[in-house]
Amino acid sequence: MSKRRSERVRNGYRRRMLRQRVLAAYDVCAICGKPVDKTLKTPHPMSAEVDELVLVSRGGNPYSFANCRLMHRICNRMKSDKTDEHARALLGSKRTIKPSSLPFKTFGI
């Protein structure tokens, strides 16, 4: 029984070369517009990630430079498989702490 591998993993060399090209070409995040620090490593939320305009699962080409752009990891996670407008709306809505979730503080009684 043969296992099907992801399209992106199948030809890792081409994908790595495309990633290097995107990192060299772009400096700002496509969602939030802030500069991307390319020295940060993957687990960091502000690290660089390459995102596809047309998702691979929806027929996009994973090796096309025109289909790729630079994003922060956290912006890419917010976008997920939704639209850019959806991710920008999530970024725009600043979440505030509910008063009920603040720690209870006693006054010197």
Side-chain angles (χ1 to χ4, degrees):
M1 178 178 270
S2 66
K3 292 184 180 180
R4 290 181 50 129
R5 295 183 64 188
S6 170
E7 184 68 29
R8 287 177 243 184
V9 178
R10 187 177 305 155
N11 193 344
Y13 175 78
R14 285 180 61 196
R15 185 67 182 176
R16 284 191 306 272
M17 293 298 107
L18 177 64
R19 177 178 164 77
Q20 288 178 359
R21 191 172 165 205
V22 169
L23 287 173
Y26 300 114
D27 292 325
V28 295
C29 177
I31 295 293
C32 67
K34 295 179 183 174
V36 177
D37 186 0
K38 299 172 188 174
T39 60
L40 297 174
K41 299 299 177 193
T42 299
H44 195 281
M46 298 303 277
S47 63
E49 283 197 356
V50 175
D51 179 58
E52 292 89 10
L53 290 168
V54 179
L55 300 174
V56 176
S57 62
R58 295 186 180 164
N61 184 356
Y63 307 118
S64 171
F65 180 75
N67 192 34
C68 293
R69 61 203 173 149
L70 187 65
M71 280 190 185
H72 291 115
R73 181 177 176 84
I74 193 162
C75 293
N76 197 11
R77 296 295 177 240
M78 279 190 211
K79 179 183 173 277
S80 185
D81 62 345
K82 311 286 189 299
T83 63
D84 292 354
E85 290 76 26
H86 173 76
R88 287 187 187 108
L90 287 176
L91 280 175
S93 63
K94 300 287 182 188
R95 301 200 179 196
T96 57
I97 299 173
K98 295 179 187 176
S100 61
S101 65
L102 293 174
F104 180 74
K105 183 177 181 181
T106 58
F107 297 98
I109 298 177

